């Protein structure tokens, strides 16, 4: 028993170390790598993945896990070891089901698929991408056959990102959410406020944007000795270990606040990573997030629930004005608050406002579910996409680049990923609601730029569990119930009915 | 045969890829890593080294190499394969001689040794470091027993950095060089020019220094799509592959030109790395430098032979003046040229001028050789150090930090490394001498900031060989003779007798 325990902890430590190295390569590819280094870096990344994968699925590792998982031995384990063995058993059993030839096959298909997606975007022509996407969808279906998850095939894909989540649950939540958001949107569109609303047309230069990002970075208590803020085309958070979690933003995007809100979003992810279980669980499978949805709940919480709220800006707007006196000269608090909460149906998901964002996700969810159940065909996606855009937003893209080709996820075989964005958004409203219930001073704390209590709550009720529970169980435990769009819808109504004077 | 060839090329490719990953970790540790990430990063580095080492010494790899090295098979190989197999045989045979327990032992001793060295520096007390250095020297002697290199033990250590180099050769070269430099130095010290010389006391701010570094970086034709210039405490060059070679400098050091000359120095290393054999030899043991001395010859060539010369500054000084009009207002060309070639015996090797630099190296060489032959004892080093300083420079440090504790090399077990600095410096003068013989327009090209022909010469006569030949044979081939201090001494006399009007 001792020998097996030593082996599995040592193996997890090595895997965790390799994962930290992989994170560094990924970070470098997105930030500082000289252009011509791309090919070598991707070879480095591929070799490292192979070394890790071989360790995960090795027979020796599996034999130790199986031994420790035998009832007679398992019962003698400490609570901690039980958690680790149980989690490891599930993970490794799952990984070992995927034949290595299939891993090679899908890796090739998605590498070529990604290139085809890029070409299709350049040519603004979905047909260039379609045969590759067909192949990828076929492989995703083949992938599902390796597992025995009940219900539609799509459940298996969802399970990879959001363990335990099912199409049925999401169809129910999302159809309610869609109906409600579309109704709110229609109401808003009918108001004078909406008719007359204007976007902020001032610019803030990159250096000033950077300063504001650093200020919020510090206010959110990201420790500078464990984090960095760099620039990349697409903002991201990456963890190289418990003591080195890096975020990026972009100062080149349209709109002067993109960098600010994206920094807050990524800082939310980073705080989660920094709060992962340490001590006994450091470098084990437990020290990770149980789902992408729960991870996204942390970024959305800070980005939307906190940083698009009245109290946050009561504290922060004077600071903004100070740094950018020229741009904000004639902009009063009310105008400002409306500007950053402007509702405007957009074609592009990543540019969507808080209200309509989830509609973009639901659109993709519906398409994925139908593709996996053979109800629709890849070649018809541009038409289906535009019909759904019209149905939900009342706007349709004039080309595929602004439509079905806008996201890279499918080209990489990440089918089932999109829903986690909406799940996280819904969770974030539930979490805020719960904290507000428990802490009557919440708003005044935010107004004073005091985030210590909030961060403690998140650490205690979410971060510290790592993968000791599934995501929805963590939410149930701290909020009294699992995924529930109703709280999010109520929040949207409260906020946007007021802004649009409904 | 085919199977064995496939195996060894594949293994080399993986080792080369792993080495690129290791380089990235090293680069990150020195540049952007958040402070608290240090422990995790060093674990990542250690794991990667272990994975690489296991691949190098694996029985399977060795059995293929041995097979291909059998005369009957070897004779059937292509020229290229012969070179690779021969080189691999020597390398791997050498690596396999070192027992893995010894690798662990010396790695522990040097890790602790490095910490002790840091503590000793903080306390300014050699005694704190002495027992650790004793242990390290003992291990270095033990290390030598694993090999069968003839002559004194020190030959074995030299061989690791400068294959084929011997104590006898170096004693001869270095005693001549020492005598000559000390003579030149004594003459210089007796001049009025020396009496009255002044150091440059203006400052140039970091941003301006950075601009100058970028200009010289470009002029030296370092392609921006394959390189970067970053900041670190100690400047270095690191190769992550043929298409990604990064250099660093420091803008914080004493003196406003440190960053400029160190950028040129590192750029010289980088040009070598970028010129390594590609095509057939990419990702093989051939695609590397045959010795540290030859590598250093490339950095010294650019730093000293080019960037401390009259023609270089004829081109560059106007550019300098333009960027920093205030600092250079009353400084004419002659004054400037003397300032950057000021001779002044210093206590610290890395701050030494061109003339006296090699004396610092020779001092360390003499100590290392005597330690390895048990002629002196570790505990007496501070006294020996100071006696030698007095003998060569006429100055002695008032404390160990500025004396025997100044370099980290010994704490890391890098005994035999120092001589390569002087070897490189000597080679660099031989190389310049040869180029000048072959190209009558050399000076006017430098004066016009045209480095194309120089770089082509270096690529053709040095870089492209990689490890196809030993360092001294490469120099013999292109310069007509191997290591020869005489050419360097002649150069020093020509240059410094003129500057000091002798």
């Amino acid at each position: 028993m001792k020998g097996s325990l030593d082996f599995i902890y040592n193996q997890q430590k090595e895997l965790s170390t390799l994962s930290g190295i992989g994170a560094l390569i990924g970070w470098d590819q997105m930030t500082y790598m000289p252009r011509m280094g791309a090919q070598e870096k991707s070879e480095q990344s591929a070799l490292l993945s192979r070394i890790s994968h071989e360790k995960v699925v090795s027979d020796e590792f599996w034999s130790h896990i199986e031994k420790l998982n035998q009832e007679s031995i398992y019962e003698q384990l400490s609570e901690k070891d039980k958690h680790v063995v149980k989690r490891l058993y599930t993970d490794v059993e799952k990984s070992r089901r995927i034949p290595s030839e299939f891993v090679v096959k899908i890796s090739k298909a998605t590498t070529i698929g990604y290139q085809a997606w890029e070409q299709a975007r350049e040519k603004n022509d979905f047909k260039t991408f379609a045969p590759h996407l067909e192949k990828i969808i076929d492989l995703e279906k083949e992938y599902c056959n390796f597992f025995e998850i009940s219900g539609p095939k799509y459940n298996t894909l969802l399970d990879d990102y959001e363990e335990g989540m099912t199409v049925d649950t999401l169809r129910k939540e999302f159809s309610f959410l869609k109906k409600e958001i579309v109704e709110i949107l229609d109401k808003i569109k009918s108001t004078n406020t909406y008719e007359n609303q204007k976007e902020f047309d001032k610019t803030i230069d990159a250096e000033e944007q950077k300063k504001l990002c650093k200020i919020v970075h510090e206010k959110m208590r990201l420790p500078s000795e464990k984090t960095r803020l760099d620039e990349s085309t697409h903002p991201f958070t990456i963890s190289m270990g418990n003591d080195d979690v890096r975020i990026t933003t972009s100062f080149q995007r349209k709109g002067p606040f993109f960098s600010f809100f994206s920094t807050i979003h990524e800082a939310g992810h980073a705080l989660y990573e920094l709060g992962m279980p340490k001590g006994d669980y450091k470098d084990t499978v437990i020290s990770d997030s149980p789902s992408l949805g729960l991870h996204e709940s942390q970024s959305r919480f800070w980005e939307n629930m906190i940083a698009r709220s009245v109290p946050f800006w009561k504290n922060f707007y004077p600071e903004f004005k100070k740094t950018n006196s020229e741009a904000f000269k004639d902009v009063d608090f009310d105008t400002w608050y409306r500007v950053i909460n402007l509702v405007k149906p957009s074609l592009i998901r990543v540019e969507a406002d808080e209200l309509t964002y989830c509609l973009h996700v639901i659109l993709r969810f519906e398409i994925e579910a139908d593709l996996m159940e053979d109800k629709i065909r890849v070649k018809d996606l541009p038409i289906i996409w535009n019909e759904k855009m019209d149905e939900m937003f009342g706007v349709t893209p004039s080309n595929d680049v602004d439509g079905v080709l806008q996201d890279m996820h499918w080209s990489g075989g990440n089918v089932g990923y999109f829903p986690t964005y909406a799940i996280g958004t819904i969770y974030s409203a539930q979490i805020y609601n719960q904290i507000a219930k428990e802490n009557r001073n919440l708003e005044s704390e935010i107004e004073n730029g005091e985030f210590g209590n909030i961060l403690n709550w998140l650490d205690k009720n979410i971060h510290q569990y790592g993968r000791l529970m599934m995501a929805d169980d963590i939410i149930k435990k701290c909020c009294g119930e699992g995924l529930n769009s109703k709280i999010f819808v109520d929040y949207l109504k409260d906020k946007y009915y007021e802004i649009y004077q409904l």
Side-chain angles (χ1 to χ4, degrees), chain A residues 122 274 417 485:
Chain A
E122 270 167 36
L274 289 166
Y417 190 121
S485 309

Side-chain angles (χ1 to χ4, degrees), chain A residues 292-334:
Chain A
L292 289 192
L294 197 63
H295 222 308
E296 191 72 4
S297 78
Q298 299 306 291
S299 54
R300 288 284 167 200
F301 175 85
W302 288 97
E303 180 193 355
N304 288 344
M305 308 309 298
I306 302 293
R308 292 189 194 275
S309 74
V310 170
F312 177 85
W313 284 104
K314 284 219 174 123
N315 177 268
F316 223 90
Y317 192 52
E319 198 120 17
F320 247 62
K321 283 192 98 152
K322 225 186 305 168
T323 329
N324 310 278
S325 44
E326 205 39 53
F328 297 102
K329 211 169 50 185
D330 302 318
V331 185
D332 65 14
F333 182 86
D334 264 16

Side-chain angles (χ1 to χ4, degrees), chain A residues 126 178 362-371 374-393 395-397 400 403-404 410:
Chain A
F126 180 72
K178 175 168 135 183
I362 293 167
L363 180 151
R364 288 153 179 78
F365 163 77
E366 291 180 354
I367 289 177
E368 289 185 348
D370 286 352
L371 276 173
D374 296 315
K375 289 186 183 160
I376 56 173
R377 285 174 305 181
V378 165
K379 74 177 180 56
D380 300 324
L381 284 190
I383 295 164
I384 296 166
W385 185 281
N386 292 5
E387 282 170 1
K388 284 184 187 285
M389 281 301 293
D390 189 41
E391 173 205 346
M392 297 188 205
F393 297 88
V395 293
T396 51
D400 293 341
V404 65
W410 292 340

Side-chain angles (χ1 to χ4, degrees), chain A residues 48-59:
Chain A
L48 208 66
S49 299
R50 214 193 67 211
I51 292 172
S52 287
H53 181 73
E54 282 168 4
K55 278 188 193 289
V56 170
V57 301
S58 83
D59 290 339

Side-chain angles (χ1 to χ4, degrees), chain A residues 121-145:
Chain A
R121 278 177 62 87
E122 270 167 36
K123 300 198 294 189
N124 188 18
D125 175 32
F126 180 72
K127 284 196 205 77
T128 305
F129 180 46
H132 300 276
L133 183 55
E134 268 165 26
K135 168 111 193 186
I136 289 167
I137 297 292
D138 284 345
L139 288 170
E140 294 288 311
K141 287 176 191 157
E142 189 182 336
Y143 174 82
C144 295
N145 292 334

Side-chain angles (χ1 to χ4, degrees), chain A residues 160-200:
Chain A
D160 277 353
Y161 305 101
E162 201 69 29
E163 193 177 14
M165 189 51 71
T166 66
V167 188
D168 281 355
T169 306
L170 288 184
R171 275 210 196 277
K172 224 176 61 195
E173 287 296 329
F174 284 177
S175 63
F176 167 75
L177 187 55
K178 175 168 135 183
K179 191 176 105 327
E180 294 284 336
I181 295 178
V182 169
E183 268 180 38
I184 301 171
L185 181 59
D186 285 345
K187 279 190 187 161
I188 285 176
K189 280 182 177 171
S190 70
T191 62
N192 279 333
T193 316
Y194 181 83
E195 264 319 294
N196 300 319
Q197 72 185 3
K198 275 188 198 134
E199 289 181 56
F200 194 76

